[in-house]
């Protein structure tokens, strides 16, 4: 593959790790859906690239894993410099704080456009108040041509707390593939799941089971919902799909409460669209979020959504129209919402229909692709590059 001779501009997508996650899913969608004749792509991971790469269907994408050890990326600046000089990307697009520092070797290597995306926060800086993280962004900011923020919250953070000029920031929502994620045509079953419609009313979540996603609060809320309304025990069920350290904690909690037979925690699954269509209600208990792909996937699947009021969740979930927002780490409020929707099928159905409509109107894949291409084209034009 002679990348250097291809006239199409090369976008080098850089992230800390390329594995299962919302950020990575967005990169996959961009690469697969942006016009093949206009841009070509490379994926660079500072650490590792997993089998998730198989989600990319194009055959002209180069993958590079740098296997960076823990700590600052300063020690691999020479390697990054040489890599950028070899690939000759027109755009380097880094994501989140873990890869921001690559804009320096990109600048040194003469990359015309350096774009940095802010996708969300982690447990170390849930509300964006961490002064060190703000300072790091200020230090590297001059090397960034343009910023992309996935939510209004992140846009306000960059402009208000970090001090980036508003003209240097574009806010772009994630898009969802509404063909892949759609309402169930009939009562659908999920392979291996012990629960079935219409006998059961299934509440569930999908995502990596790590601290920032806080699935333990959902387990607590499920247990509490059965305490609040014991009559629901015959039909209320819990599905938690994903792998990570919280999986064992949640399972132990359900075991101690004597409700493990009412819950299914299968670990990581590759059939997420089918899992979504097998639910009656989707819950996102995260402590922090950018723009949640799983919320959008649930809305596209016609599900009512219960989500914590953090990050960009309020941008997606219209309270009392497409779902309900609750405080983070508040199992009591979450449990009452579960009981309410489980007992009001008409309300749950109407919220699900409204969510699907919102996806079609505001969060479709085409809107996201047009927005990203608009930024790429505009930045290249400003730098005198052709597309």
């Amino acid at each position: 593959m002679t990348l250097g001779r291809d006239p199409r501009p090369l976008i080098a997508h850089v992230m800390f790790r390329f594995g299962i996650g919302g950020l990575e899913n967005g990169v996959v969608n961009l690469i697969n859906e942006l016009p093949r004749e206009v841009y070509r792509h490379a994926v660079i991971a500072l650490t590792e690239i997993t089998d998730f790469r198989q989600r990319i269907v194009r055959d002209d994408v180069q993958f590079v894993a740098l296997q960076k050890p823990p700590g600052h990326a300063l020690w691999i600046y020479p390697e990054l410099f040489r890599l950028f000089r070899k690939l000759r990307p027109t755009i380097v697009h880094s994501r989140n704080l873990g890869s921001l520092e690559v804009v320096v070797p990109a600048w040194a290597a003469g990359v015309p456009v350096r774009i940095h995306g802010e996708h969300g926060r982690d447990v170390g800086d849930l509300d964006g108040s961490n002064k060190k993280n703000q300072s790091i962004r200020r230090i590297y900011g001059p090397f960034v041509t343009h910023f992309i923020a996935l939510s209004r919250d992140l846009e306000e953070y960059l402009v208000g707390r970090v001090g980036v000029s508003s003209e240097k920031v574009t806010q772009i929502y994630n898009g969802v593939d509404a063909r892949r994620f759609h309402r169930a045509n009939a009562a659908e079953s999920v392979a291996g799941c012990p629960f079935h419609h219409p006998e059961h009313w299934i509440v569930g979540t999908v995502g990596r089971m790590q601290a920032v996603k806080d699935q333990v609060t959902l387990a607590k809320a499920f247990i509490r919902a059965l305490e609040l309304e014991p009559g629901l025990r015959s039909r209320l069920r819990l599905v938690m799909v994903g792998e990570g350290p919280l999986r064992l904690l949640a399972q132990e909690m359900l075991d101690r409460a004597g409700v493990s037979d009412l819950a299914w925690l299968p670990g990581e699954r590759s059939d997420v669209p089918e899992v979504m269509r097998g639910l009656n209600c989707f819950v996102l208990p995260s402590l922090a979020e950018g723009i949640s792909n799983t919320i959008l996937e649930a809305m596209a699947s016609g599900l009512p959504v219960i989500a914590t009021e953090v990050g960009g969740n309020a941008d997606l979930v219209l309270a009392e129209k497409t779902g309900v927002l609750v405080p983070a780490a508040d199992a009591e409020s979450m449990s009452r919402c579960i009981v309410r929707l489980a007992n009001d099928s008409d309300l749950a159905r109407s919220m699900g229909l409204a969510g699907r409509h919102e996806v079609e109107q505001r969060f479709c894949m085409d809107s996201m692709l047009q927005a990203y291409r608009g930024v790429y084209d505009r930045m290249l034009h400003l730098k005198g590059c052709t597309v």
Side-chain angles (χ1 to χ4, degrees), residues 122-123 207-215 243-247:
D122 214 327
V123 289
R208 54 191 171 92
M209 298 192 72
Q210 296 179 342
V212 70
K213 298 300 182 181
D214 196 27
Q215 288 93 344
E243 192 55 80
L246 293 193
R247 182 185 174 198

Side-chain angles (χ1 to χ4, degrees), residues 60-342:
D60 61 343
V61 179
Q62 184 165 350
F63 296 87
V64 180
L66 299 178
Q67 305 298 333
K68 184 183 84 69
H72 198 279
L74 177 64
W75 309 115
I76 63 169
Y77 274 15
E79 184 176 2
L80 283 164
F81 176 85
R82 290 190 295 270
L83 179 62
F84 291 139
R85 294 286 284 186
K86 176 184 176 182
L87 296 180
R88 300 176 63 85
T90 311
I91 298 172
V92 163
H93 187 161
S94 57
R95 268 96 170 170
N96 276 350
L97 190 61
S99 66
L100 173 56
E101 55 193 310
V102 305
V103 297
V104 174
W107 165 80
V111 177
V113 177
R114 285 97 46 202
I115 293 173
H116 181 71
E118 291 287 346
H119 288 245
R121 303 195 182 99
D122 214 327
V123 289
D125 190 16
L126 293 175
D127 61 357
S129 61
N130 186 299
K131 299 297 185 182
K132 179 182 177 181
N133 289 351
Q134 293 173 22
S135 297
I136 292 173
R137 288 177 170 90
R138 292 191 192 101
I139 291 169
Y140 291 107
F143 298 93
V144 177
T145 310
H146 201 76
F147 288 87
I148 292 176
L150 263 65
S151 67
R152 291 178 297 172
D153 172 65
L154 289 169
E155 180 182 24
E156 292 167 0
Y157 168 76
L158 287 172
V159 174
R161 294 194 177 186
V162 178
V164 178
S165 168
S166 59
E167 296 179 354
K168 202 176 175 179
V169 183
T170 298
Q171 191 263 310
I172 300 177
Y173 289 125
N174 281 342
V176 62
D177 187 345
R179 295 164 297 183
R180 185 165 177 251
F181 291 89
H182 58 80
R183 295 179 62 216
N185 297 318
E188 295 194 20
S189 59
V190 179
C193 181
F195 314 132
H196 308 281
H197 301 294
E199 177 186 357
H200 301 128
W201 198 84
I202 306 169
V203 60
T205 194
V206 177
R208 54 191 171 92
M209 298 192 72
Q210 296 179 342
V212 70
K213 298 300 182 181
D214 196 27
Q215 288 93 344
V216 169
T217 289
L218 174 55
K220 292 178 182 177
F222 178 75
I223 295 166
R224 178 59 176 153
L226 295 173
E227 293 173 349
L228 290 171
E229 191 140 348
L232 285 176
R233 191 179 181 99
S234 63
R235 63 188 187 92
L236 183 62
R237 298 293 183 267
L238 174 66
V239 169
M240 302 174 76
V241 171
E243 192 55 80
L246 293 193
R247 182 185 174 198
L248 180 59
L249 291 176
Q251 186 66 66
E252 290 175 346
M253 183 178 296
L254 295 164
D255 291 344
R256 288 196 301 271
V259 298
S260 58
D261 58 323
L262 310 183
W264 185 53
L265 285 71
E268 186 179 306
R269 299 277 295 203
S270 60
D271 57 344
V272 174
E274 290 76 16
V275 169
M276 287 290 189
R277 288 193 289 274
L279 303 178
N280 295 98
C281 177
F282 180 81
V283 181
L284 190 79
S286 301
L287 300 175
E289 280 291 340
I291 288 295
S292 168
N293 283 294
T294 52
I295 284 182
L296 290 174
E297 292 164 358
M299 291 168 63
S301 303
L303 299 177
V305 175
I306 300 171
T308 49
E309 195 167 8
V310 298
N313 288 354
D315 292 15
L316 307 182
V317 180
L318 303 181
E320 298 302 321
K321 182 179 179 182
T322 67
V324 186
L325 294 167
V326 299
D330 188 341
E332 184 69 23
S333 295
M334 191 176 291
S335 68
R336 293 184 183 279
C337 290
I338 291 172
V339 169
R340 178 188 173 200
L341 291 180

